[in-house]
Amino acid sequence: MKQRKIIKDLIHIKQTDDTITRVIGAGLSTSVPLFIGYFTGNMQIGTLGALGAFAFLSFTPLPLGKLAKRILKMGLSIMAGFYLGLLSTLVPWLIPIVLGGVSLCGLFMARLLQIPGPGAFFVIMVTAMSTGMEMPFEEMFPAMLTVGIGVLASIFMATIAGIINNYFQLWTVETEQPSYGERIQDTIDKNPELLLASLYHAGVIFFATYVAQSLGFANPYWITISTVAVLQGKKLKFIFERNVQRIIGGIIGLLIGMLIFSLNLELLEKIFTLIILNILVEFSMVRNYGLANFFTNPLSVLLSSLSSDLFVSELFAARFIGILLGSLIGVIGAALFSLGLRMYERELSLIQKNRGE
């Protein structure tokens, strides 16, 4: 029965309110820096700009002005995380501390302000990816500005998508939103363990990063990213289900990636493939998480290969290890937190019962 449910979950497409304009906009946001890199003969612009294009994924049904501000704020956060990650490479033992600190701030603020998904995930992810890059100090700030190309592309594409959605009435715009103060008060009332949860999850991410750095894996940040992805879940059962989908979908995705690489694509063909994969990821992510992992892994490896000196086989091996080890750390960390929270709630219940007597 469990095997049948896993298969069903991998092929089931959920109905959502997601618009096709958001999906296409995500792909086009990535295409801008990639084509700039291609036509300038500098694919570092393409790969770094593509990281900034993740800001588009904070796209929500807001009025155009608020939507642009939301994506700008996410983009600036991504750029700041990217720069901090690069700076940490100058003193390698700082990498776990920096990632833990960025995770703590990102997770806490996203939960406190009730920022909808993906929350701080892409800020942490880009920060982790930047710790796998090596460049002189004087090149770090210009590299961060290059990430900004993707952020600007995201704002532009989001505005176009928003105009189309409004014109054809493809979505219902959220005109009224609670203030920051109201959100903070609501979160404190309903989620008093917020700081503890953020501290704990940041600690798990610190541990995952430390393990990845210590074991000397190629592209160790993939272990951290897998851990962060697992910790995105709110309930333990949901985390376990998503983890199984992530591992199975990830393995299938790696096989798809190996097939793509066996075609020996030219650079322009790789760029179009990346755009298509990104569109497929965005279409699938809100409809079927396991299916989305069919495309995230070949996309990640293909993007890394554009500016990586590693052999393709090493990239796939690093990604495979990252999926397994990162997922394992994330699940164990989530299970321990859930167990500790239940024990605390049981103890609190006993104390309150004794006081009542």
Side-chain angles (χ1 to χ4, degrees):
M1 291 295 291
K2 288 185 178 180
Q3 293 175 342
R4 189 175 300 175
K5 184 179 184 302
I6 291 172
I7 295 173
K8 182 180 178 181
D9 289 341
L10 283 173
I11 61 176
H12 176 67
I13 303 297
K14 294 185 293 186
Q15 296 295 320
T16 72
D17 296 329
D18 190 32
T19 62
I20 195 65
T21 50
R22 185 200 69 83
V23 174
I24 295 175
L28 293 179
S29 295
T30 305
S31 71
V32 172
L34 287 173
F35 279 120
I36 290 175
Y38 176 76
F39 287 113
T40 59
N42 181 4
M43 283 313 297
Q44 188 178 59
I45 294 175
T47 52
L48 295 180
L51 299 181
F54 286 129
F56 183 93
L57 304 183
S58 60
F59 186 95
T60 52
L62 294 170
L64 294 181
K66 291 184 178 180
L67 176 60
K69 288 180 181 178
R70 173 173 165 76
I71 293 179
L72 176 61
K73 291 175 184 177
M74 179 59 68
L76 292 175
S77 299
I78 287 174
M79 292 171 68
F82 176 83
Y83 192 53
L84 286 173
L86 282 183
L87 290 175
S88 70
T89 63
L90 299 174
V91 187
W93 60 266
L94 281 177
I95 291 176
I97 297 175
V98 168
L99 267 171
V102 170
S103 299
L104 175 59
C105 294
L107 292 170
F108 180 74
M109 294 305 298
R111 293 165 178 173
L112 183 66
L113 299 177
Q114 299 179 359
I115 297 173
F121 175 74
F122 286 106
V123 176
I124 301 171
M125 187 189 81
V126 172
T127 304
M129 293 182 72
S130 68
T131 63
M133 301 177 184
E134 293 183 1
M135 61 179 66
F137 173 74
E138 60 273 13
E139 295 181 10
M140 291 181 177
F141 189 76
M144 182 192 70
L145 296 180
T146 304
V147 174
I149 294 175
V151 176
L152 293 176
S154 297
I155 296 172
F156 176 74
M157 292 300 175
T159 302
I160 297 298
I163 291 173
I164 294 173
N165 285 338
N166 289 339
Y167 183 80
F168 290 101
Q169 297 182 341
L170 299 177
W171 64 358
T172 301
V173 177
E174 298 174 5
T175 54
E176 294 185 8
Q177 281 194 316
S179 66
Y180 283 136
E182 290 172 333
R183 288 187 232 171
I184 290 171
Q185 187 60 53
D186 183 63
T187 301
I188 293 174
D189 292 340
K190 295 180 179 178
N191 191 8
E193 71 277 3
L194 169 66
L195 179 58
L196 177 62
S198 299
L199 278 167
Y200 179 80
H201 288 160
V204 174
I205 294 168
F206 167 86
F207 175 75
T209 306
Y210 180 79
V211 169
Q213 295 290 128
S214 300
L215 295 178
F217 290 126
N219 295 348
Y221 56 83
W222 274 331
I223 295 176
T224 304
I225 293 171
S226 292
T227 302
V228 177
V230 171
L231 293 176
Q232 285 287 97
K234 294 182 179 180
K235 294 184 179 180
L236 190 59
K237 181 182 178 182
F238 179 72
I239 288 174
F240 275 117
E241 290 177 352
R242 295 255 299 200
N243 190 48
V244 172
Q245 293 176 9
R246 179 175 176 78
I247 292 174
I248 296 176
I251 292 173
I252 295 174
L254 289 177
L255 293 175
I256 293 173
M258 292 173 69
L259 176 61
I260 292 174
F261 271 98
S262 70
L263 300 176
N264 295 317
L265 301 177
E266 298 294 332
L267 179 57
L268 189 59
E269 294 172 329
K270 286 184 178 181
I271 290 174
F272 279 111
T273 303
L274 278 167
I275 295 170
I276 293 170
L277 286 171
N278 195 36
I279 290 173
L280 289 172
V281 168
E282 288 310 306
F283 176 83
S284 305
M285 189 60 72
V286 296
R287 294 169 174 84
N288 187 314
Y289 180 76
L291 182 62
N293 280 278
F294 286 18
F295 311 115
T296 55
N297 287 290
L299 185 150
S300 299
V301 177
L302 192 61
L303 185 62
S304 297
S305 73
L306 295 180
S307 58
S308 176
D309 295 329
L310 293 172
F311 292 106
V312 171
S313 60
E314 291 177 329
L315 285 171
F316 279 109
R319 183 68 172 172
F320 181 71
I321 292 172
I323 291 172
L324 293 182
L325 187 54
S327 297
L328 179 63
I329 293 173
V331 166
I332 292 175
L336 289 175
F337 181 76
S338 179
L339 175 62
L341 196 59
R342 284 202 302 269
M343 292 174 65
Y344 168 76
E345 290 173 347
R346 188 180 303 168
E347 184 69 20
L348 185 62
S349 177
L350 288 173
I351 292 173
Q352 291 173 342
K353 183 179 179 181
N354 290 333
R355 285 178 178 176
E357 295 175 352

